[in-house]
Amino acid sequence: MNYTTYQKTDIESIIELFHTTFANSEGEAEGKVLGAFAREMMETTPEQDLQVFVAKDGEKIVGSVMFSTLTLESDKTAKLLSPMAVSTEVQGKGIGQALINHALSILKSQGVDIAVTYGDPNFYSKVGFAQISEEVIKAPLPLSFPEGWLGQSLNGEGLEAISGESGCVPALNNPELW
Ligand SMILES: CC(C)(COP(=O)(O)OP(=O)(O)OC[C@H]1O[C@@H](n2cnc3c(N)ncnc32)[C@H](O)[C@@H]1OP(=O)(O)O)[C@@H](O)C(=O)NCCC(=O)NCCS
């Protein structure tokens, strides 16, 4: 398995991966929503605010995770993990964790201070995320599932509370995703 940064020629395969994976796990309607969301992330996010990582088995993309800028009222920098998918046929083999660990090591080397995500604590706790309160980092939109607001420090320091609002990229600025 090869863990790498996407290329523009991968975009349609990545959209198809999100569509199919979520259609399999949560039904066709959710598959369409996630396919459209993945497309919007890649088409509308300014280049400096989006990093897309893929797991490739030969030429086939079997996993993808996106990190976008979360703006803070602080000199600390943060990236938000969303969305993520590993192809149904190869789930449960460690690919998702390896892909996130690859991405986090690159973000660390770029000097990013904090990673956050909004998802299943049971999965994301395996790659260093822990539940955080909004007193530590305010979510950019109201959370329907506050237990899913997760973060980790990437700079070797503890996660200190950061006061003020946070802001996400336009594709994530949709209350239905939160
Ligand atoms: C969640 C997902 C990205 C994990 O990737 P993966 O390659 O299957 O995960 P890994 O093999 O690295 O890790 C497996 C571990 O994660 C957990 N896990 C796997 N799939 C999970 C899921 N759908 N939800 C919660 N936890 C899950 C398992 O407990 C497993 O732990 P174990 O091996 O100790 O039993 C992948 O299963 C997926 O794309 N699922 C459907 C879409 C989705 O839910 N995306 C994430 C939105 S938050």
Side-chain angles (χ1 to χ4, degrees), residues 156-172:
E157 298 166 16
L159 206 52
E160 285 171 23
I162 291 172
S163 60
E165 303 297 315
S166 70
C168 60
V169 299
L172 276 160

Side-chain angles (χ1 to χ4, degrees), residues 58-165:
E59 282 308 299
K60 190 172 170 1
I61 291 176
V62 297
S64 181
V65 63
M66 301 190 193
F67 284 84
S68 59
T69 300
L70 185 79
T71 53
L72 301 171
E73 295 179 23
S74 164
D75 56 0
K76 296 274 191 303
T77 54
K79 298 286 168 180
L80 189 150
L81 181 169
S82 179
M84 154 133 215
V86 170
S87 187
T88 314
E89 312 83 67
V90 294
Q91 285 175 8
K93 295 176 186 285
I95 295 169
Q97 291 171 66
L99 179 59
I100 295 174
N101 286 331
H102 167 79
L104 292 178
S105 73
I106 292 193
L107 296 178
K108 279 180 196 169
S109 73
Q110 294 169 345
V112 174
D113 294 302
I114 300 163
V116 299
T117 191
Y118 184 49
D120 185 338
N122 292 326
F123 174 63
Y124 290 107
S125 64
K126 292 176 190 288
V127 286
F129 287 94
Q131 289 184 29
I132 55 172
S133 81
E134 289 202 74
E135 272 135 44
V136 177
I137 297 172
K138 184 101 165 55
L141 276 83
L143 299 175
S144 56
F145 172 59
E147 295 77 13
W149 186 232
L150 313 172
Q152 67 175 294
S153 169
L154 301 181
N155 62 12
E157 298 166 16
L159 206 52
E160 285 171 23
I162 291 172
S163 60
E165 303 297 315

Side-chain angles (χ1 to χ4, degrees), residues 4-25:
T4 179
T5 299
Y6 86 133
Q7 299 182 327
K8 298 284 179 202
T9 48
D10 295 330
I11 287 178
E12 291 306 321
S13 307
I14 293 169
I15 292 165
E16 186 51 34
L17 170 77
F18 280 99
H19 179 166
T20 309
T21 305
F22 279 85
N24 289 341
S25 66

